[in-house]
Amino acid sequence: MPLYKKIQFNSTTAIYVWKISEPLEQLFEEVKLNPICQSRIESMKSELHQRGFLSVRKLLNEAGYTDFDLYYDQFGKPHLHDGKHISITHSYQFSSIIISDEIVGIDIELQREKIIRIADKFCDAEFQYLDREKTAEYCRIH
């Protein structure tokens, strides 16, 4: 599937979202990996995780980068060689990256009971994305 959504916050910050619908083989054919990432993906046991990993590389392409522009530090944090900041996330059927001149972070999760149980830990801006009716019902029961 092509890019699901691009959100351009300003001239220096953009979010890219991919809906992962392609089979693993198609993603492998469409993405070229650097040797370190090739080794990483070969060690992954979950096809879901492999598809997420490869879809992030599709997002990099959408943003004008390749896997060769990306590297990870000793803590596993991703960086871009041009000095821009990047954050990466993938969960089930979606992957996303945010690229900016500023320090940024992004995380997506499938909305499930676990999320509702820890909803009070989210800041108000993030809470708006939860299903409030479901959250209220859960809080009444527990």
Side-chain angles (χ1 to χ4, degrees), residues 9-10 12 20 28 32 34 45 52 65 71-72 83-84 91 108 120 129 133 138-139 141:
F9 282 110
N10 55 42
T12 64
I20 309 166
F28 262 120
K32 184 159 175 55
N34 71 49
K45 294 183 175 130
Y65 294 94
Y71 70 97
Y72 294 86
K84 289 202 178 259
S91 181
I108 57 174
D120 62 326
Y129 296 103
E133 187 175 301
Y138 180 82
C139 291
I141 295 169

Side-chain angles (χ1 to χ4, degrees), residues 1-5 16-23 27 47-49 51-53 55-56 59 89-96 108-111:
M1 172 173 210
L3 181 68
Y4 181 76
K5 184 180 272 194
Y16 300 82
V17 181
W18 194 272
K19 184 169 185 185
I20 309 166
S21 58
E22 306 85 352
L27 287 168
E47 182 177 315
L48 189 63
H49 195 207
R51 290 172 67 215
F53 187 86
S55 66
V56 164
L59 289 170
T89 185
H90 52 86
S91 181
Y92 293 89
Q93 300 273 310
F94 287 93
S95 62
S96 184
I108 57 174
E109 287 294 331
L110 181 66
Q111 186 171 323

Side-chain angles (χ1 to χ4, degrees), residues 36-137:
I36 293 169
C37 288
Q38 182 67 43
S39 177
R40 277 185 68 191
I41 200 164
E42 288 170 1
S43 70
M44 293 177 191
K45 294 183 175 130
S46 163
E47 182 177 315
L48 189 63
H49 195 207
Q50 290 173 326
R51 290 172 67 215
F53 187 86
L54 292 169
S55 66
V56 164
R57 275 62 194 170
K58 296 288 285 182
L59 289 170
L60 283 170
N61 291 337
E62 290 286 337
Y65 294 94
T66 71
D67 189 52
F68 293 85
D69 297 311
L70 183 71
Y71 70 97
Y72 294 86
D73 66 20
Q74 70 265 24
F75 304 107
K77 182 179 177 185
H79 297 273
L80 292 168
H81 287 295
D82 69 1
K84 289 202 178 259
H85 298 275
I86 184 170
S87 183
I88 295 171
T89 185
H90 52 86
S91 181
Y92 293 89
Q93 300 273 310
F94 287 93
S95 62
S96 184
I97 61 173
I98 184 169
I99 298 174
S100 180
D101 288 348
E102 307 293 324
I103 297 171
V104 289
I106 192 164
D107 187 32
I108 57 174
E109 287 294 331
L110 181 66
Q111 186 171 323
R112 8 176 221 176
E113 288 302 313
K114 176 184 175 187
I115 298 297
I116 295 169
R117 284 195 308 269
I118 61 172
D120 62 326
K121 293 178 175 44
F122 293 108
C123 70
D124 290 336
E126 291 166 323
F127 194 80
Q128 71 180 328
Y129 296 103
L130 292 175
D131 183 325
R132 291 181 186 272
E133 187 175 301
K134 210 180 226 187
T135 302
E137 177 184 332

